[in-house]
Amino acid sequence: MDPMMKMWVSFVGIGLMALAAVMITLARFKTKGFLRIALSSTAFLFLVVGGLLGLISIT
C-alpha cells in the first residue's frame, strides 16, 4: 500500500473512532431503551473497525 493510501485509511479509522465517541456520549445522555442499545452497539462496531483500520495503516 502506498503512503497516501495509508494516510487515507488512517484518517477513516480516526474518523470512525471519533464518531463512535460521539455516538456513545449521545447514547448515554440523551437516549433510553432500544435506541440506547442500538447506538452503543453501532458505536462499538465503529470503534473496532476504526482500530483495525489503524492497525492496517501501520503495517
Side-chain angles (χ1 to χ4, degrees):
M1 191 180 324
D2 65 332
M4 286 299 286
M5 190 61 150
K6 286 182 178 182
M7 179 189 75
W8 287 113
V9 169
S10 69
F11 280 166
V12 169
I14 291 169
L16 283 175
M17 286 193 256
L19 185 61
V22 169
M23 287 175 70
I24 284 292
T25 303
L26 181 71
R28 284 189 173 201
F29 293 115
K30 299 290 183 185
T31 60
K32 292 183 178 178
F34 176 74
L35 186 60
R36 184 179 196 168
I37 295 170
L39 278 175
S40 297
S41 299
T42 305
F44 180 73
L45 181 67
F46 282 2
L47 187 66
V48 169
V49 171
L52 288 175
L53 288 177
L55 284 176
I56 289 171
S57 68
I58 290 173
T59 58

